[in-house]
Amino acid sequence: MPVLEEDGRTWVDHQVRTYRELENSDVVINVYPTGTGKTLAVLNAIRKLNIDRVLIIAPVNELINQYEATVERFVQEHKLGHKVFVVTSQSLEEMDSSSHSRALRSILLAERAIAITNPDIVFYVLLQRYGARVRSRDLLVKLFEFPQLVVFDEFHVYDPGRLFFAFALIATSCYFNLRQKYIFMTATPSRHVDNAFTKLGLRVSRVGLEENSSQDFKPAASPVYVELVRGFGKLDEHMDLILQIVKEHADKDILIVSDSLSRLAKLAHYLRNNGIEFGMVTGPMAREERITALRKRLMLATTTIDVGYEISRPEKDRQGLDIVIFEASTAEDIVQRLGRVGRVLGKNRADVPAYAYMFVPARIFSAVQKILEESNDRLEFARNVQSKLSSSVENLKREYLGPQGLVLAFYEDFFTCLFPKDHKDLLREYFQLLESLFGLERNFLSRHSRRIELDFYYFAKSLLDDESEIAGHVLERSPQLREKIGTLYQGDELMRACAVYRKFVEKFILSFRSEFTQKVYVVDPKKFCGTERFVYDKFFILTRYKVRKLEKSVIPADVRGIVNEAYELLEPLEKPQKIHLSIMTRSEKKFFIPTKVESQMFDMKALELDGLPVYRLIPEEESECFFMDLAVREAEINGWKEKVVIGTDAIKAASYLSEKPWECDLFPQ
């Protein structure tokens, strides 16, 4: 890693280059490898360029917590005078328990502040759904006006369906001349972002290791020996091999990463039965439990560890992590997880080899093997993986041509309400700019805004909230909607359809992290998931574990508002348990939202699936679903067995598999 001297101390090269490039650029993309101090690059830019108001967006709250400590230390050390705010649901609750939106307003009014938040809050403010007052104009305006610098950390973790929040911020800044600058920090930059910058005409600088000509270097990574393990890319296929590795390297620090909590639980059960001690880092665990687990010699982790957790061993003179064993199905995952092992920046020894065991799916095995053989070092391997290995079939335009495009339609509707009616020409240009970022045709939103579907949501919400006068106004302005519901529904069918459609929109369209099943309270005495008691997704629990239903009395008082069932985990299942889905619908479209879905397993009603979108598959589409990592299920639709995908997978399928993604049946039947 190249280093240089400035202000009486040694910096990693990019920690200086980032602020120098930002002086004459609108955007700096820092693509230095994971674990090389990109946070300090941001903080040094704030210091050197005297930036007063900064918005840092990190994908998970654990990373936000780490940011808080680092930023506070830097601000105090350099006497910057900024006030540091953590902006999460919990922190806003502590600031003002009666109004989170009021607490957020006070932060956005600060004159010299660094606000660290997650994309969820930004997303809900953009859609004017944050706080008790729907369409809160002033909060949205304050969010747009607050930052002089916006920092997106770990930007590679956002799939195209979640890029809306970033593109809306940048497009608004450019079009309304807010004069904001941006730093993107990611070791695996997205082509979607590069295309957006080009369309916006922004001045972009890229700070990368390969571009540097500095002669002074410090070692940042030890040599690594990589073994590519043949199979289906699943850790539970090779538990004997993993046990052998763990036993042979009893004196080394080892991290095992799986994409699946259930596969990790099976491996944990197997290792425990063979007398192996370890720590676990999983989603259900509390933060304190995860930190304790990271002190163990052997660590088992889900993708929770990918962002926000640093494995530090300050007492060691070499790398903190000696061996990594991981699953990976995309270029981003391969680069990120391999980059965790053998970090030696600031260590005395850099010559002790590290080891990596990679489990990748059969479909990319040969390609990864060839890239390994052709690469001379880590950096070359990372570049080759990203350039030669197609990480996904994701296409931004296809994503927003489908049901996901309702996000843009709602945003257009909400945003338009901020302006007088005589500003239509101004707004038309603004939305044309936004359309171009998503690869959509000019005036796509005005032609395909799905006004009738938006009005149906407003009508449904008003009707269910006993606001019949508002519901009547919606029908008055939308005779097309009145005719549609009059044709589709009779008697009580309308109320049922409204309830289903409202759930669909609020769970899958107006929610940043979509979920389609309810939560349950879980008792896990053997700690298959890393902790003894937690709240988790019911669908996952019932399909991945043998369980015993418990009395409601075991549910703690503080979570009774969000769960009403409890289960004890007995053991992981060898294969996921199938849930029988029975769907009744009058819709003939491939993508539809049924008003009646029943599910059954263990001779009992399993799940409440109101608002669940469904996509019917034809046989040739099943293999495509496999490559897209969409879960194919069997369902009985009107008495006939069919293959389907459901939930967010159904929205993806409608976008990528349909010839005409917009031909979706969004009226529940």
Side-chain angles (χ1 to χ4, degrees), residues 27-208:
V27 180
V28 169
I29 305 176
N30 187 321
V31 297
Y32 259 61
T34 301
T36 57
K38 290 195 284 290
T39 301
L40 280 181
V42 170
L43 295 174
N44 200 35
I46 296 170
R47 177 179 73 96
K48 296 293 287 189
L49 302 183
N50 196 29
I51 299 172
D52 289 330
R53 299 183 305 280
V54 183
L55 179 65
I56 299 175
I57 302 173
V60 295
N61 285 351
E62 179 56 40
L63 189 56
I64 291 173
N65 293 331
Q66 290 191 18
Y67 255 112
E68 181 184 22
T70 304
V71 174
E72 287 279 14
R73 283 196 303 269
F74 192 91
V75 167
Q76 291 176 13
E77 178 186 350
H78 295 277
K79 299 179 175 58
L80 298 186
H82 292 77
K83 191 163 184 180
V84 180
F85 294 97
V86 165
V87 186
T88 62
S89 180
Q90 180 180 346
S91 68
L92 294 175
E93 173 73 15
E94 293 170 356
M95 287 183 65
D96 189 338
S97 60
S98 62
S99 174
H100 289 195
S101 57
R102 185 165 57 212
L104 180 56
R105 281 186 186 87
S106 68
I107 294 171
L108 297 177
L109 289 171
E111 293 184 0
R112 194 166 176 83
I114 300 174
I116 312 162
T117 190
N118 54 46
D120 308 54
I121 289 178
V122 175
F123 179 86
Y124 294 128
V125 173
L126 286 172
L127 291 175
Q128 300 180 56
R129 292 177 53 80
Y130 198 80
R133 290 188 298 157
V134 177
R135 298 188 181 184
S136 182
R137 170 191 170 114
D138 64 324
L139 191 60
L140 175 60
V141 172
K142 285 179 174 58
L143 174 68
F144 283 140
E145 292 180 341
F146 169 74
Q148 295 169 319
L149 171 66
V150 182
V151 180
F152 295 94
D153 197 9
E154 302 286 357
F155 197 71
H156 58 276
V157 304
Y158 304 115
D159 62 23
R162 291 179 178 170
L163 288 182
F164 158 77
F165 83 97
F167 282 7
L169 281 179
I170 298 168
T172 305
S173 173
C174 291
Y175 188 76
F176 293 98
N177 197 28
L178 298 179
R179 300 180 182 276
Q180 293 164 347
K181 289 180 179 286
Y182 298 88
I183 295 177
F184 285 77
M185 297 193 294
T186 174
T188 51
S190 164
R191 68 184 186 280
H192 304 306
V193 176
D194 287 336
N195 292 339
F197 295 152
T198 300
K199 290 173 181 176
L200 291 169
L202 294 173
R203 298 167 299 169
V204 180
S205 294
R206 189 173 296 245
V207 176

Side-chain angles (χ1 to χ4, degrees), residues 309-350:
Y309 286 92
E310 186 67 34
I311 299 172
S312 176
R313 299 287 190 271
E315 71 280 3
K316 294 173 66 175
D317 64 351
R318 64 177 195 274
Q319 61 262 26
L321 191 61
D322 302 297
I323 298 174
V324 65
I325 303 169
F326 64 88
E327 300 173 340
S329 58
T330 68
E332 291 82 1
D333 287 344
I334 291 172
V335 172
Q336 290 289 326
R337 292 171 192 172
L338 183 61
R340 278 200 165 273
V341 74
R343 297 181 183 179
V344 296
L345 192 62
K347 296 287 188 178
N348 293 328
R349 296 193 63 187

